[in-house]
Amino acid sequence: MTACVDRMIRPPKQTRRRCSVAPRRQERAFMFFEAHLQLLQAAADANRTRSAWTGYTSVTPPDSRQAEAFVGAYDGATLNLSAPTQSCVTADEVSPYTGKALNVTYSAPSAEEALEGAAQAAAALRDAGVEQRVGVCLEALHRIHHRGQEFAAITSHTTGQSLNMACSGSGTNALDRGLEAVAMAWAAMNRVPGQVTWRQTFGKSDVTLRKRFRPRPLGTALVVACASFPAWNAYPAILANLATGNPVLVKPHPRSVLATAVAVSIIRDVLAEAGLPSDAVQLVVDTVDEPIAARLATDPATRIVDFTGSQAFGTWLERNVENALVFTETAGVNTVILDSVRDLSATMRTLAGGLSLFSGQMCTTPQNIYIPDAGVLTDDGPVSRDDVVAALCAAIDDLAGAPRRAAAVCGALQSEATRQALEALADRADADGTLVRRPAAYAHPEYPQARAVTPLLVRVDPRRGDQLPAGEQFGPVAFVIDCADRDSAVEHATDSVRRHGAISSYLYCTDDAAVDAIADAYADAGASLSANLVSSMPMQYAAAYSDYHVTGLNPAGNATLTDESFVAGRFRMVQDRRQVEG
Amino acid sequence: MTACVDRMIRPPKQTRRRCSVAPRRQERAFMFFEAHLQLLQAAADANRTRSAWTGYTSVTPPDSRQAEAFVGAYDGATLNLSAPTQSCVTADEVSPYTGKALNVTYSAPSAEEALEGAAQAAAALRDAGVEQRVGVCLEALHRIHHRGQEFAAITSHTTGQSLNMACSGSGTNALDRGLEAVAMAWAAMNRVPGQVTWRQTFGKSDVTLRKRFRPRPLGTALVVACASFPAWNAYPAILANLATGNPVLVKPHPRSVLATAVAVSIIRDVLAEAGLPSDAVQLVVDTVDEPIAARLATDPATRIVDFTGSQAFGTWLERNVENALVFTETAGVNTVILDSVRDLSATMRTLAGGLSLFSGQMCTTPQNIYIPDAGVLTDDGPVSRDDVVAALCAAIDDLAGAPRRAAAVCGALQSEATRQALEALADRADADGTLVRRPAAYAHPEYPQARAVTPLLVRVDPRRGDQLPAGEQFGPVAFVIDCADRDSAVEHATDSVRRHGAISSYLYCTDDAAVDAIADAYADAGASLSANLVSSMPMQYAAAYSDYHVTGLNPAGNATLTDESFVAGRFRMVQDRRQVEG
C-alpha cells in the first residue's frame, strides 16, 4: 500500500447528478422511498407468495468493444470510497479475457480507520429511520440497474463471467436478491407497530400505558465478497444491513474489486444525497499478502459479519468471531443422481450446460454425478452407464464446439490458480486411468488469449477404492461416480452432504413417489433438491423471492438468501412506555 | 450421583390420564392443535398488536398448608425424566420458608446419554410437522395451567417466591411468555407457503416448477434455567425449540429443580400421548460441584443454547460456544432517575414495592436510584434529596411492617449466599458511612424461620469518590446516587447501561418532551425505558405479547422475549422443486 493523497482522480460517472434543482436532503430520502414503494411492496408480496417475479427489466449485454471502453474508463483512476486515509492500493485486477491489468487504485483504510469511520456514521444512519434507509437502498439498486451495461462490463473483466451472465446472474438476478433482502428486512421491521396504547386492570385500578417500539441496529457490519460472483451475495448483505441501520464495511476479494467498488460508490452517492453520511458504507481494500478480513471480523466493534468464500475461512469465522452475528455462504459438493429420464439427450444437454456454465465457478455447479450399474432408465429402456457418459461428453463437446455459445455459457476462469489445479487434476486422472474428458480450451471468438476452458470429467468407482476430493473442487470438474443402484447413490450423496455440505442438489427420476422419498433423504441431510430440470433454464438457476439459497443446515454455510433469520438479528427493538391517564 | 435403578417411585400425579378411550396417537396430536387453535390465533394476534391480552385465567394461590402438601407429595420420590441412565441425584433443594429439604431424586443422565437420547428422538419430532408439535406445546401449557396451584407451591418452596407471585409471575405470566413464543414460532413458519407452482419464460420456452418448502429444525437444544425464576425464561425457550422441532435438554439450577422437573414431566407425557418420543424433552440434573452446562453447550451435537443466569457464564457461552445459536438473558444494573413527579408518596410506594418485590431477586429490579442535587420536583415545589430518601425508607418500612403484605410482596431469599452477601454489604456501608437502611428481616406471618428480608439502602456520591458495584448486586439492595442534575443522571445511567447492561430502566419525569429525549438516550445505549409508573401494577411488570424483555443491545443478554430473532434461527427451510408440464 502506498500514500495516495495526490492521486485523487475519479472517472466522470462517479459524481454525476441528475437534477439541477435539488430538493432538501431529508425530503430527497423520502422521495426515494416513495418513488420505489410500489416496487418494494411487490417484492414483499413475492417473498410471501414465492411465485415468479422480477423487479428489474433485463439488460442488453454490451458488445466487447463497449465493454472494454467501460472498463478502460477506470484505467489509472483512484477511487476514494472510505473514511479519510493516507493509504491506497492499486489492486491486482487482471481481465481474464484480455490479460490486461485494470490499473485502478483504491483508498485502503486501516481496520482502525474503517471502524472509526463506521462508528462516526452510525448515529445518523440509525436516526434516519426505516423509510429513509430503505429508500436509499431502493434508489441505489435502481441506479445500479440503470448502469447495468457498465456493471456487466466490469464484472466480466474481473470475474470472467460472460457479458450475458454478468447482465443476468451478476446483474438483474443480483439486484433481485438485493431487493428481496431489503423487502424481507422492511417487512420484518413493519410487523412491529410503532406505538400502542395498552390498558390492563391491576387489582381495582386500570393502568394505561402509552408504548413505543423502535427498531435499532446492532452495530458495524462487515461484508466480505468473493472473487468470482461478488454481487449476488454482497448486495443482500450490504442492503439488509443498511436497511436495518448498520454501517457497512465492504471488503471485496483483492483480485476482483472494481464492480463492488462502483456499487459502493453509488450507494455512497445516494446516502449523501439523502443527507446521510457516505461512510455508512465504506470500501475496504486489502491485498492477498496482507488480508484484513479476520482482523475486522474479530474486532469487538464489529457486530455482524457476512462472508462468501471458502469453507475453511467461513468455518473459521463461525468458530472464532465471538462478538458478532456471522452469516456464511461457502461451498459444498453438489450432487446429481441420474436414475431415469424422459429424454436423455435433453437431460445431457442440460447437464452439460450446468457443468459448463461460468466454467463451473458457481457455488451451485454440480460436481458429483451418480450413475447406477443398471444405467439410466429411459422410455426406450435402460441406457448403459458407458453410453450415458459418452452422451454427456458429446453434449459438452457440442457446446464447446460452438464458440459463440461456448463463450456465452462458459466465460473464462477468474484465476490462473484454478486452471493450474484443473490441469494437475486432469494429469492425475490420466495417470490413474480415471480421466474421461480433458478440460480443453474452447476457441473464444473475440479473445483468443482468454482463460477459456471446458469441463474436465473424471469417472470413479468408490467400491474399487477410487478417491473423491474431500470437498468442493473449484472450477469445471465433475466426477461420474459408478454406484450399485439408486438407493446407494442417495446414501452416498446424502452422506457427502453431511460431510462436505451442498448448496444445490439434483435428481433425474421419473417416479414421482421416489422423488418424494429422495427429497426427504436430502432434507434429512439438510439439503434442498431440484428434480428433472430439462429446459432452457440453467439447472443451477435460483430465483430470488422463490428459491432459498443455502439451507443453513449443512456445512455449506449458515446464511439463507433470504429467509427471516437472514434479517431478524440485524435489528432489535427498543421500547419505551409511560403511564398516562386512562 | 448414585445408582438409582431400584428407586423408581413417581408421585401419582405424574402419570394421570384423562380419557378412558384413547384416540389413536397421531389423531390425538391434531386434537391438541385443534383444541387450542383459537387460543393460538389470539396469541399471534396479540403478538402483532402488542395490546393487553392473556391466554390464561388467574390461579388462586393455595394456602400454606395446601402448598406444603403439594410439595410433600414429592418427598422421597424419584423422577426419571430422561433417556435411560444408571445415575441419579438427590438435589440439594431446601425450602427458603420451612428450611426443610425437599428430598426429591432425579435421574441424572451423563452428557453423552442425554445427547444420545435427544438424537434418538430427533427424527420423529422433526417428522411430526408443525401442527402436531405446536399442539403438544399448547396442551402442555394447558396442563401446567391446570395444575397451577401445585406449580405455585413447588415454585414457592424452591425459589422463595411468595405464593401470589408464584401463581402470577411464575404461573400465568410465564405461561403467557411460553404461549407468546409458540405463537411467534408458529407465525414465522406459517409465513412460508407449503408449496407453490412457479412459471417463468426462458428464451422462448415456459418452465413450470412445482416447489415445496418445509421448515426443518436446527438440532439438539440446551435450555439452562436459573434458581430464582425458572419458568419465565425456560418455557419460551423449551417451547420455541419444540415447536420448531428441536429436541431439548432442560438443565435446571441444581438447587431449584422440582418446578422445572414437573413441567418437563408434563411435556413428556403429552409427547407420549401424541405418539412422539418423550425424550424429545429431557431433564438433565447436575450438582453445584459437578456442573454439566458448559460440557453440553460446547458439544458439537448441540446446536441451540438458551441460558438464564449470571452475566459471567452468559458471556462465556456467547464467546465459547462455536457451533450453536446462543440466546442469553443474564443481568444488568437497572437504573431509576427521579426528576419530577405528580405524587411523591405514590411514587415512593411504587418504588418501595419495586425494590421489595421478591426481595430484589428479579432481573428487572431497580438497583441504582439517581436523585439530583436540587431534589425531586413536585406540584408543591422541590422536595430535598434527604426528604426523598426519608420518604423512600418510610415507604419500605410501611411495607415491611405489614407482615401479610410483606410476605406477599417480598417472599424469601432463594439462597443463603444472597443473605450473607447482603449483610456483608450492609456492614461495609455502615463502616464507610453510606448505609441508609439495614436489610432487616420482616416478620413472616407463617414461617418465622423464613429467609425473609427487606431492602438494604446505600447512599453514594460518585463525585466524592464513592464506589458502586461493577454490575448487578443480586438481592434487595439499592444505591441512592447523588448527582448534579437530570442530565448528569442520564449520562451516568446510560454509561452504566453500556458497561454493565440493563434489563429494565425507570424514569420519573413530568415533562413529556424530556421523557422523549431521555428515552432516546437510553435507546442509544441499547435500553428500553419505563416512565412514571405509579400504580398498583408492579413497576417491573413486563407483559407478554406487548413488552419486549431484554433488548439484545446491551451486556444484559442477547435474547429478547419474544422478538422474531428469538425464533427465526431455530428452524430453516428446505425446499424441493421439480419440473412439470406447464
Side-chain angles (χ1 to χ4, degrees):
Chain A
M1 293 187 193
T2 53
C4 64
V5 279
D6 53 352
R7 295 185 59 212
M8 299 299 180
I9 309 159
R10 284 163 67 111
K13 288 203 182 72
Q14 297 294 320
T15 53
R16 70 182 176 189
R17 307 228 166 211
R18 297 185 312 171
C19 317
S20 51
V21 182
R24 286 184 42 209
R25 292 184 158 191
Q26 289 256 330
E27 288 164 21
R28 191 83 178 256
F30 282 113
M31 279 171 53
F32 293 151
F33 182 75
E34 279 168 21
H36 303 295
L37 179 56
Q38 214 173 349
L39 184 81
L40 178 65
Q41 283 167 332
D45 286 347
N47 277 343
R48 232 181 7 251
T49 61
R50 308 204 79 74
S51 50
W53 185 76
T54 174
Y56 301 96
T57 55
S58 60
V59 172
T60 306
D63 65 27
S64 57
R65 190 192 49 75
Q66 291 171 317
E68 286 183 48
F70 276 122
V71 176
Y74 290 89
D75 190 356
T78 295
L79 305 185
N80 294 299
L81 302 169
S82 70
T85 175
Q86 296 297 309
S87 296
C88 65
V89 63
T90 303
D92 185 16
E93 297 182 278
V94 176
S95 166
Y97 291 102
T98 65
K100 286 203 320 210
L102 269 63
N103 189 30
V104 185
T105 301
Y106 306 91
S107 64
S110 66
E112 292 71 23
E113 288 167 335
L115 289 164
E116 177 58 24
Q120 291 291 332
L125 185 69
R126 175 196 71 202
D127 293 341
V130 174
E131 298 195 350
Q132 284 208 48
R133 292 193 305 255
V134 168
V136 165
C137 294
L138 298 171
E139 175 66 14
L141 287 167
H142 172 76
R143 294 189 192 182
I144 294 170
H145 181 230
H146 193 72
R147 287 165 68 177
Q149 290 197 322
E150 180 189 354
F151 270 94
I154 296 170
T155 301
S156 179
H157 282 285
T158 47
T159 67
Q161 290 176 34
S162 73
L163 287 164
N164 297 56
M165 168 170 276
C167 284
S168 55
S170 283
T172 47
N173 297 354
L175 293 167
D176 274 324
R177 286 251 97 125
L179 177 56
E180 171 190 61
V182 172
M184 200 63 100
W186 178 66
M189 291 186 285
N190 267 7
R191 273 194 290 272
V192 180
Q195 57 184 45
V196 64
T197 299
W198 181 95
R199 286 189 188 84
Q200 191 168 311
T201 305
F202 287 82
K204 286 172 189 161
S205 54
D206 291 332
V207 177
T208 303
L209 302 180
R210 186 153 53 84
K211 301 183 180 186
R212 296 190 304 171
F213 305 97
R214 297 188 284 179
R216 305 291 280 200
L218 205 61
T220 298
L222 170 68
V223 176
V224 181
C226 69
S228 52
F229 236 98
W232 213 75
N233 299 82
Y235 289 174
I238 295 170
L239 298 176
N241 283 327
L242 270 190
T244 52
N246 302 285
V248 190
L249 308 179
V250 185
K251 215 292 293 170
H253 189 280
R255 293 198 170 119
S256 184
V257 178
L258 187 56
T260 306
V262 178
V264 166
S265 138
I266 288 173
I267 302 170
R268 288 170 63 89
D269 284 351
V270 177
L271 282 163
E273 289 178 39
L276 294 171
S278 304
D279 289 345
V281 176
Q282 298 175 73
L283 190 77
V284 181
V285 178
D286 63 356
T287 62
V288 172
D289 292 336
E290 291 180 62
I292 200 173
R295 161 76 184 86
L296 285 170
T298 52
D299 192 284
T302 301
R303 301 302 314 279
I304 305 174
V305 177
D306 285 86
F307 170 75
T308 314
S310 73
Q311 206 176 84
F313 191 52
T315 304
W316 186 89
L317 287 168
E318 290 172 20
R319 302 216 165 143
N320 290 280
V321 173
E322 295 180 349
N323 194 45
L325 292 179
V326 177
F327 297 93
T328 60
E329 194 231 295
T330 61
V333 175
N334 299 321
T335 55
V336 185
I337 296 175
L338 292 174
D339 172 65
S340 48
V341 299
R342 282 269 168 274
D343 181 340
L344 187 64
S345 309
T347 305
M348 291 301 107
R349 276 199 303 278
T350 301
L351 186 51
L355 299 176
S356 304
L357 190 65
F358 189 27
S359 301
Q361 298 168 100
M362 300 172 74
C363 57
T364 46
T365 302
Q367 177 167 319
N368 285 356
I369 303 166
Y370 295 87
I371 308 181
D373 286 343
V376 175
L377 200 66
T378 72
D379 289 350
D380 304 322
V383 176
S384 76
R385 184 154 53 209
D386 287 349
D387 289 349
V388 172
V389 173
L392 178 58
C393 281
I396 296 172
D397 290 344
D398 272 359
L399 203 167
R404 294 223 146 265
R405 181 157 156 68
V409 171
C410 301
L413 293 179
Q414 200 275 331
S415 151
E416 184 57 27
T418 305
R419 175 149 70 182
Q420 288 169 4
L422 201 65
E423 290 294 344
L425 193 62
D427 290 345
R428 279 207 303 279
D430 203 4
D432 67 15
T434 59
L435 182 70
V436 174
R437 186 183 187 281
R438 273 218 169 257
Y442 70 89
H444 196 286
E446 279 130 354
Y447 299 107
Q449 71 278 45
R451 213 177 275 127
V453 72
T454 55
L456 159 65
L457 277 193
V458 178
R459 181 166 161 189
V460 299
D461 188 340
R463 295 168 296 185
R464 217 176 52 191
D466 292 341
Q467 295 293 310
L468 282 162
E472 184 198 33
Q473 186 70 44
F474 191 72
V477 51
F479 299 85
V480 175
I481 301 172
D482 295 2
C483 60
D485 53 21
R486 186 173 74 196
D487 287 350
S488 68
V490 172
E491 192 182 332
H492 195 278
T494 53
D495 179 64
S496 167
V497 170
R498 288 188 172 89
R499 287 168 189 266
H500 308 304
I503 290 183
S504 299
S505 308
Y506 307 94
L507 167 68
Y508 290 87
C509 176
T510 55
D511 175 351
D512 208 49
V515 174
D516 281 344
I518 295 169
D520 284 352
Y522 273 86
D524 293 352
S528 291
L529 183 69
S530 294
N532 302 327
L533 302 184
V534 181
S535 70
S536 47
M537 183 185 95
M539 61 193 289
Q540 54 261 71
Y541 180 77
Y545 319 104
S546 183
D547 292 322
Y548 289 108
H549 179 73
V550 179
T551 63
L553 295 169
N554 69 55
N558 69 13
T560 304
L561 297 182
T562 299
D563 69 0
E564 291 185 5
S565 79
F566 188 76
V567 300
R570 296 181 200 258
F571 68 95
R572 308 303 290 268
M573 301 308 300
V574 291
Q575 173 184 350
D576 57 85
R577 54 181 195 170
R578 62 195 86 184
Q579 192 166 344
V580 295
E581 297 299 314
Chain B
M1 294 188 195
T2 53
C4 63
V5 280
D6 52 352
R7 295 185 58 214
M8 301 294 181
I9 309 158
R10 286 162 66 109
K13 287 202 182 76
Q14 298 295 319
T15 52
R16 68 181 175 188
R17 307 230 166 212
R18 298 185 310 169
C19 317
S20 53
V21 182
R24 286 185 39 212
R25 291 184 159 191
Q26 288 255 328
E27 288 165 21
R28 190 81 178 256
F30 283 114
M31 279 171 55
F32 292 151
F33 182 76
E34 279 168 21
H36 304 295
L37 179 56
Q38 214 171 349
L39 183 81
L40 179 66
Q41 284 166 332
D45 286 347
N47 278 341
R48 234 180 5 252
T49 63
R50 309 204 77 75
S51 50
W53 185 76
T54 175
Y56 301 95
T57 55
S58 60
V59 172
T60 305
D63 64 28
S64 56
R65 191 194 47 75
Q66 289 170 316
E68 286 183 48
F70 275 123
V71 175
Y74 289 90
D75 189 357
T78 294
L79 305 184
N80 295 299
L81 302 169
S82 70
T85 175
Q86 296 297 307
S87 296
C88 64
V89 63
T90 302
D92 185 16
E93 297 182 279
V94 176
S95 166
Y97 292 102
T98 64
K100 286 202 323 209
L102 268 64
N103 188 30
V104 186
T105 301
Y106 306 91
S107 64
S110 66
E112 293 70 25
E113 288 168 335
L115 289 164
E116 177 59 24
Q120 291 291 332
L125 185 69
R126 177 195 71 202
D127 294 341
V130 174
E131 298 196 348
Q132 284 209 46
R133 293 193 305 256
V134 168
V136 166
C137 294
L138 298 171
E139 176 66 14
L141 287 167
H142 171 78
R143 293 190 192 181
I144 293 170
H145 182 230
H146 194 73
R147 287 166 67 177
Q149 291 197 321
E150 179 189 356
F151 271 94
I154 295 169
T155 301
S156 179
H157 281 284
T158 47
T159 67
Q161 290 176 33
S162 73
L163 286 165
N164 296 57
M165 168 171 277
C167 283
S168 56
S170 283
T172 49
N173 298 352
L175 292 167
D176 274 323
R177 285 250 99 123
L179 176 57
E180 171 190 61
V182 172
M184 199 63 99
W186 177 65
M189 291 186 285
N190 267 8
R191 273 194 291 272
V192 180
Q195 56 184 47
V196 64
T197 300
W198 181 95
R199 286 190 188 83
Q200 191 168 310
T201 305
F202 287 81
K204 287 172 187 160
S205 53
D206 292 333
V207 176
T208 303
L209 302 180
R210 185 152 54 83
K211 302 183 180 185
R212 295 191 302 170
F213 305 98
R214 296 187 284 178
R216 306 290 280 200
L218 205 61
T220 297
L222 170 67
V223 176
V224 181
C226 68
S228 52
F229 235 98
W232 213 74
N233 300 81
Y235 289 174
I238 295 169
L239 298 176
N241 283 326
L242 270 189
T244 52
N246 303 285
V248 190
L249 308 179
V250 184
K251 214 293 294 170
H253 189 281
R255 293 197 170 120
S256 183
V257 178
L258 185 56
T260 306
V262 179
V264 166
S265 137
I266 287 174
I267 302 170
R268 287 170 63 90
D269 283 351
V270 177
L271 283 163
E273 288 178 40
L276 294 171
S278 303
D279 288 345
V281 175
Q282 297 176 73
L283 190 77
V284 181
V285 178
D286 62 358
T287 63
V288 173
D289 292 336
E290 291 181 61
I292 199 173
R295 161 76 185 88
L296 286 170
T298 52
D299 192 284
T302 301
R303 301 302 315 280
I304 305 173
V305 177
D306 285 86
F307 170 75
T308 313
S310 73
Q311 209 177 80
F313 192 52
T315 304
W316 186 90
L317 287 168
E318 289 173 21
R319 302 216 165 142
N320 290 281
V321 172
E322 297 180 350
N323 194 46
L325 293 178
V326 177
F327 299 92
T328 59
E329 195 232 295
T330 60
V333 176
N334 300 320
T335 54
V336 185
I337 296 176
L338 292 174
D339 172 66
S340 48
V341 299
R342 282 266 167 278
D343 181 340
L344 186 65
S345 309
T347 304
M348 291 302 105
R349 275 199 305 277
T350 301
L351 185 51
L355 298 176
S356 304
L357 192 64
F358 187 28
S359 302
Q361 297 168 101
M362 298 172 74
C363 56
T364 46
T365 302
Q367 178 167 319
N368 286 356
I369 303 166
Y370 295 88
I371 307 181
D373 285 345
V376 175
L377 200 66
T378 72
D379 289 350
D380 304 322
V383 176
S384 75
R385 186 156 50 210
D386 286 349
D387 288 350
V388 172
V389 173
L392 178 58
C393 280
I396 295 172
D397 290 343
D398 272 1
L399 204 166
R404 293 226 148 263
R405 179 156 157 69
V409 172
C410 302
L413 293 179
Q414 199 276 332
S415 150
E416 183 58 27
T418 305
R419 174 150 70 182
Q420 288 169 3
L422 201 66
E423 290 293 345
L425 193 62
D427 290 344
R428 280 205 303 280
D430 203 4
D432 66 16
T434 59
L435 182 69
V436 174
R437 184 183 189 282
R438 273 218 170 257
Y442 70 89
H444 195 287
E446 278 131 355
Y447 299 107
Q449 70 278 45
R451 215 178 275 127
V453 72
T454 56
L456 160 64
L457 275 193
V458 178
R459 182 165 160 189
V460 299
D461 188 339
R463 295 169 296 184
R464 215 175 54 190
D466 291 342
Q467 296 292 312
L468 283 161
E472 184 198 33
Q473 186 71 43
F474 191 73
V477 52
F479 298 84
V480 175
I481 301 174
D482 294 3
C483 59
D485 52 22
R486 186 174 75 197
D487 287 350
S488 67
V490 173
E491 193 182 329
H492 194 281
T494 53
D495 178 65
S496 167
V497 170
R498 288 189 172 90
R499 286 167 190 265
H500 309 304
I503 291 183
S504 299
S505 308
Y506 307 94
L507 167 69
Y508 290 87
C509 176
T510 55
D511 174 351
D512 208 48
V515 174
D516 281 343
I518 294 168
D520 284 351
Y522 273 86
D524 293 353
S528 291
L529 182 69
S530 295
N532 301 327
L533 302 183
V534 181
S535 69
S536 47
M537 182 185 95
M539 61 192 291
Q540 54 261 72
Y541 180 76
Y545 319 105
S546 183
D547 293 322
Y548 289 108
H549 179 72
V550 180
T551 64
L553 295 168
N554 69 55
N558 69 13
T560 304
L561 297 182
T562 300
D563 68 2
E564 291 185 5
S565 79
F566 188 75
V567 300
R570 296 182 199 257
F571 68 95
R572 308 304 290 267
M573 300 307 302
V574 291
Q575 172 184 349
D576 57 85
R577 54 182 195 169
R578 60 196 88 181
Q579 193 167 343
V580 295
E581 297 299 314

